[in-house]
């Protein structure tokens, strides 16, 4: 377990000092989910640079206190192309990642927190100077980044910015901010195009094919038309057999980082 979350990202106390927040270090997903579901939540502050209300919270648990990111539904700005309840897509993203055995989305649960119901996601202790554009330069990260890329293709991620790829201090790279995923209309926007044209390896191909039968857990969080669209994307990708390219140069988010 690390001692502190990254200082430059944490909200500050009223006297200007930094919060000290214990962060889970390489705990199992099952352990993390238990803590997130049952620990007492206390808000430490609002996270910077977030378009919706996003809070750093402390989860007090007798065996493993930790930090988490809390996104209440009542703090979401209305969007014309997504229904309210974006937090549900954060949970669906975790469930899809686990069903595929990729583990690229932090453990995420639904909780009734201080500002109402929303998602609570394990805080990823990372070097926040790193992001996709720096991580992709190291071949050691390509396995995780390919899985995140394939995940975004399946989930129809509309907002995979470079800063949404975090290299945890315990090793794996995680994708965060999945609220704009799973639309039934194709809306892909991502910075991850470096693998375009590469064939899927056997493990990726098998997992992608399995998504043509969406995991039962997803039906709690997504509409029937969104589940059908997910299955169609999985079938198309499995038949295509490789990472697509963005030939038109139009499927990038803004800002990029």
């Amino acid at each position: 377990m690390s001692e502190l979350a990254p200082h430059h990202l944490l909200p500050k106390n009223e006297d200007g000092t930094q919060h000290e927040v214990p962060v889970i270090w390489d705990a199992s997903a099952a352990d993390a989910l238990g803590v997130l579901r049952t620990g007492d939540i206390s808000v430490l502050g609002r996270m910077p640079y977030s378009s919706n209300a996003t809070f750093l919270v402390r989860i007090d648990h007798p065996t493993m206190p930790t930090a988490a990111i809390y996104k209440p539904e009542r703090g979401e700005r209305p969007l014309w192309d997504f229904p309210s309840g974006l937090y549900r897509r954060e949970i669906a993203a975790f469930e899809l990642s686990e069903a595929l055995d990729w583990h690229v989305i932090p453990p995420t649960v639904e909780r009734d927190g201080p500002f109402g119901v929303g998602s609570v996601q394990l805080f990823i202790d990372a070097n926040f100077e790193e992001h996709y554009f720096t991580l992709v330069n190291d071949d050691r990260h390509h396995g995780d980044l390919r899985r995140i890329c394939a995940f975004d293709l399946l989930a129809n991620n509309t907002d995979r910015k470079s800063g949404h790829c975090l290299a945890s201090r315990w090793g794996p790279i995680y994708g965060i901010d999945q609220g704009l995923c799973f639309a039934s209309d194709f809306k892909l926007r991502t910075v991850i195009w470096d693998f375009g044209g590469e064939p899927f390896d056997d493990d990726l191909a098998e997992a992608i094919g399995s998504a043509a039968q969406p995991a039962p857990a997803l039906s709690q969080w997504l509409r029937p038309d969104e589940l059908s669209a997910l299955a169609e994307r999985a079938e198309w990708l499995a038949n295509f057999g490789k990472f697509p390219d963005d030939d038109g140069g139009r499927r990038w988010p803004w800002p990029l980082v």
Side-chain angles (χ1 to χ4, degrees):
M1 181 181 293
S2 65
E3 296 178 355
L4 303 178
H7 281 193
H8 71 282
L9 193 64
L10 289 176
K12 296 186 177 183
N13 297 306
E14 292 183 0
D15 62 3
T17 59
Q18 297 287 166
H19 288 295
E20 295 189 359
V21 185
V23 180
I24 287 179
W25 190 278
D26 199 18
S28 71
D31 288 343
L33 289 172
V35 170
L36 295 174
R37 287 178 176 138
T38 62
D40 294 330
I41 301 177
S42 55
V43 174
L44 298 176
R46 186 165 178 172
M47 298 299 289
Y49 317 123
S50 298
S51 55
N52 293 322
T54 302
F55 300 94
L56 177 71
V57 298
R58 179 185 175 98
I59 307 292
D60 286 306
H61 189 275
T63 62
M64 195 181 294
T66 190
I69 298 298
Y70 166 49
K71 296 183 177 182
E73 181 177 12
R74 64 188 284 191
E76 297 173 2
R77 294 192 304 174
L79 297 174
W80 68 269
D81 54 347
F82 280 89
S84 61
L86 298 180
Y87 81 91
R88 299 170 62 84
R89 297 166 193 273
E90 299 274 6
I91 302 168
F94 169 70
E95 295 289 356
L96 175 60
S97 172
E98 293 302 290
L100 298 172
D101 202 28
W102 286 349
H103 314 298
V104 293
I105 308 300
T108 312
V109 302
E110 182 182 55
R111 286 287 303 268
D112 189 3
F115 300 114
V117 67
S119 62
V120 176
Q121 183 174 90
L122 179 69
F123 183 89
I124 299 301
D125 193 12
N127 177 0
F128 287 84
E129 300 302 320
E130 297 262 39
H131 48 82
Y132 174 76
F133 292 135
T134 64
L135 296 170
V136 74
N137 294 324
D138 189 335
D139 290 349
R140 295 175 302 170
H141 299 317
H142 283 191
D144 285 344
L145 294 175
R146 285 188 180 94
R147 282 186 286 274
I148 293 175
C149 180
F151 170 88
D152 289 342
L153 293 167
L154 288 171
N156 195 16
N157 195 343
T158 310
D159 193 35
R160 176 63 72 204
K161 295 181 174 68
S162 183
H164 295 172
C165 294
L166 301 182
S168 66
R169 297 192 185 274
W170 51 90
I173 296 174
Y174 293 89
I176 62 167
D177 284 352
Q178 273 79 224
L180 299 183
C181 285
F182 299 110
S184 55
D185 295 332
F186 192 60
K187 298 175 176 285
L188 181 70
R189 296 289 188 276
T190 176
V191 297
I192 307 180
W193 293 106
D194 294 84
F195 308 117
E198 290 186 12
F200 299 133
D201 64 27
D202 291 343
D203 290 340
L204 273 179
E206 181 179 357
I208 289 168
S210 73
Q213 297 292 328
L218 291 174
S219 63
Q220 181 179 353
W221 310 109
L222 301 176
R223 301 190 312 245
D225 63 311
E226 294 167 338
L227 292 171
S228 296
L230 168 60
E232 291 174 4
R233 290 191 297 270
E235 291 178 2
W236 178 83
L237 281 170
N239 291 328
F240 192 59
K242 60 184 179 180
F243 290 100
D245 287 305
D246 178 31
D247 295 330
R250 296 182 178 180
R251 296 202 171 276
W252 293 72
W254 190 259
L256 295 178
V257 178

